[in-house]
Amino acid sequence: MDILGTTLRVCVDDLEAAVVFYERLAGATALRFERGGVQVAAVGCFLLMSGPEAELEVLRKVAATIAVKDVDEANQLLTELGARVIAGPVPTPVGRNLIAMHPDGVVYEYVDRNVG
């Protein structure tokens, strides 16, 4: 499985203020979208999220987002290694993702750019 990079997930109260800070810190412009009632801004290696506490509580349980070449390949390897796939693989607007709990109990999201 090719790991292409990681994204740090940050839950914030004030998305607008956080975007200003993280855009300057990362030297990048935020890519914004909304998912499940949560406002999201991707800035460099940071994924800023703001929304209802009930939604954020679930999102906080995911330690990081890991970009991979192919989610299906990640799914197969994770399963072989004893991880438990909690959700997915499912399509997203930019590719596919899955959520997996590693044998040590840490939860990660795996994403790819394979649309279709």
Side-chain angles (χ1 to χ4, degrees):
M1 170 177 67
D2 292 332
I3 295 177
L4 306 175
T6 58
T7 301
L8 305 170
R9 300 163 65 95
V10 183
C11 295
V12 298
D13 292 328
D14 184 345
L15 186 64
E16 296 311 313
V19 164
V20 171
F21 174 84
Y22 283 95
E23 281 183 333
R24 296 227 23 230
L25 179 68
T29 302
L31 170 64
R32 296 171 184 249
F33 56 97
E34 187 258 331
R35 186 157 186 199
V38 174
Q39 297 299 313
V40 181
V43 186
C45 67
F46 301 98
L47 190 64
L48 310 175
M49 300 174 287
S50 184
E53 186 54 39
E55 296 295 327
L56 294 179
E57 183 179 339
V58 172
L59 296 172
R60 283 187 181 102
K61 294 178 181 175
V62 178
T65 298
I66 301 170
V68 295
K69 186 175 180 181
D70 187 320
V71 161
D72 292 329
E73 181 184 348
N75 186 15
Q76 181 178 347
L77 181 58
L78 287 163
T79 302
E80 288 172 8
L81 294 173
R84 182 169 59 95
V85 175
I86 298 169
V90 297
T92 73
V94 295
R96 298 172 300 155
N97 76 341
L98 68 80
I99 307 289
M101 180 183 292
H102 290 189
D104 57 13
V106 181
V107 177
Y108 294 95
E109 174 186 33
Y110 289 81
V111 299
D112 68 21
R113 297 266 186 221
N114 295 328
V115 180

